[in-house]
């Protein structure tokens, strides 16, 4: 059987500014609410098809590119990645 598969990078929603997370539907992001928090799945476009994006999102996409992932799952329960900026929303 031949099937298509995708690799997913899981990142904490804390690696995005709240404003970025709030506007991600413009970037192909599927939002999901988790209690008082929310996150979701970002389908990473090929580099030549990417639109200008906030720097915090670009940093996350650069990590996904380095590890050959074509999806990013942002979730509030994923521990932050050491060395990647964390934003406090409160």
């Amino acid at each position: 059987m031949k099937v298509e598969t995708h690799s997913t990078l899981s990142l904490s929603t804390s690696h995005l500014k709240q404003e970025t997370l709030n506007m991600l539907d413009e970037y192909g992001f599927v939002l999901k609410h988790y209690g008082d928090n929310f996150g979701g799945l970002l389908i990473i476009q090929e580099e030549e098809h990417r639109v200008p994006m906030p720097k915090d999102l670009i940093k996350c996409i650069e990590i996904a590119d380095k590890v050959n992932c074509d999806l990013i799952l942002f979730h509030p329960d994923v521990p932050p990645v050491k060395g990647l900026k964390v934003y406090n929303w409160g």
Side-chain angles (χ1 to χ4, degrees):
M1 177 189 315
K2 187 173 182 171
V3 296
E4 184 175 336
T5 62
H6 297 273
S7 297
T8 304
L9 172 66
S10 295
L11 290 176
S12 172
T13 51
S14 69
H15 291 305
L16 297 175
K17 295 177 183 175
Q18 189 169 16
E19 307 84 67
T20 301
L21 191 58
N22 290 341
M23 61 187 259
L24 277 179
D25 58 338
E26 297 175 23
Y27 301 112
F29 194 73
V30 179
L31 290 176
K32 170 75 176 151
H33 286 268
Y34 301 100
D36 292 338
N37 298 309
F38 58 96
L41 190 64
L42 177 67
I43 300 167
I44 301 171
Q45 301 294 320
E46 295 292 326
E47 196 165 350
E48 62 269 13
H49 299 292
R50 293 181 189 165
V51 296
M53 297 179 218
K55 288 183 182 181
D56 53 331
L57 181 57
I58 290 170
K59 292 290 184 190
C60 294
I61 291 173
E62 287 172 349
I63 291 172
D65 284 341
K66 285 181 184 176
V67 296
N68 296 317
C69 290
D70 50 3
L71 303 166
I72 302 175
L73 174 65
F74 288 103
H75 194 283
D77 293 336
V78 174
V81 173
K82 194 173 190 173
L84 186 59
K85 186 168 176 119
V86 172
Y87 298 92
N88 295 315
W89 297 355

